[in-house]
Amino acid sequence: MTSDADRMMPSTEPVMLLDPDGRPTAAGALPPVEDLVRGYAGMVVARRFNEQASALVRQGRLAVYPSSSGQEACQVAAAHVLADGDWIFPTYRDTAAVVARGVDPVETLVLLKGDWHSGYDPYDRHVAPLTTPLATQLPHAAGVAHAARLRGEPTVVLALCGDGATSEGDFHEALNFAAVFRAPVVFLVQNNRYAISVPLSRQTAAPSLAHKGVGYGVPGEQVDGNDLAALLTVLSGAVARARAGEGPQLVEAHTYRMQAHTNADDATRYRSDEEVAAWVARDPLVRLEAYLRAEGALDDARAATIAADAEDVARRTRDGINEDVEPDPEDLFRHVYSRPTPQLVEQLAMVRDELARDALAAAPTRQEAGR
């Protein structure tokens, strides 16, 4: 147990380095401008990716899509603060973070299309599968971090979740386990004010979600989730402390999802147009672009190049999702266990037999073939 109680307490206000108009605050030094330009490019891709995925739902090519439009700064910062050997554990809304981590955009959306498994190899980019059940990925993230510590590896795990997930038992178990065993994991809570339609006031009576770490011995911090500069600074610090052996860290990012929970949600039933408009004015993309243009780090030509790159990602995503893939029924059995159980072997034989009989029934008879 730590005796330094003051170290656990988050700041009274979220850390902000750029105000909503893109002007530097007096809260601290900004990250290098090249990091901010890279982050801006990532956010442009993320915004266009969200738009394209939402369009694919309307076209019937995706079953569902939970947009992260408005939360792009959180998504991109989460991916950019990690080293190659680190892991990221996303939720269903963190597709933009997965793409920013280097996973193919088409493979990122395969799960939401309804195809098999998660759509990508988690070990390729150290990205765990997208998780739909709330908070179930958090104990897994703590476990991976604990295993890395036992092996003496420098790995840090960053686990994403929303404000609604903090009401789940898995959140409690993950933070408690990580704190007791000093697992090098950073928990990033994207507080977008609503768990589907349930407002934050119905989720907690705590001063902030970052304060929840105090009870577990986990230091917490609040950050403006629409300020990429602040996110890079706060998350980089949290990752560095976790890597240095200081145990788990909790970061609450105050942000907002501009779109509905999913395409199946009617957000007008629980939030007003005025509320949405107030957060649109805090758009993370507009904020960072204003700063970069004022600093001369972004002009029309460079912005056009970044937009063209984002459009290319959207095109590749659209073409890939629109390509029909013939499923192989035997995939149902190939990827369950490394050594198939007797039951799976028996079931596979039954499927093969049924497919063979179907093929035989569909084949033309000799008489039909000679006509």
Side-chain angles (χ1 to χ4, degrees), residues 10 81 134 201 271 366:
V81 298
L134 290 189
S201 60
R271 64 185 194 183
R366 289 184 180 179

Side-chain angles (χ1 to χ4, degrees), residues 104 129 166 224 283:
D104 180 84
T166 65
D224 187 327
D283 189 319

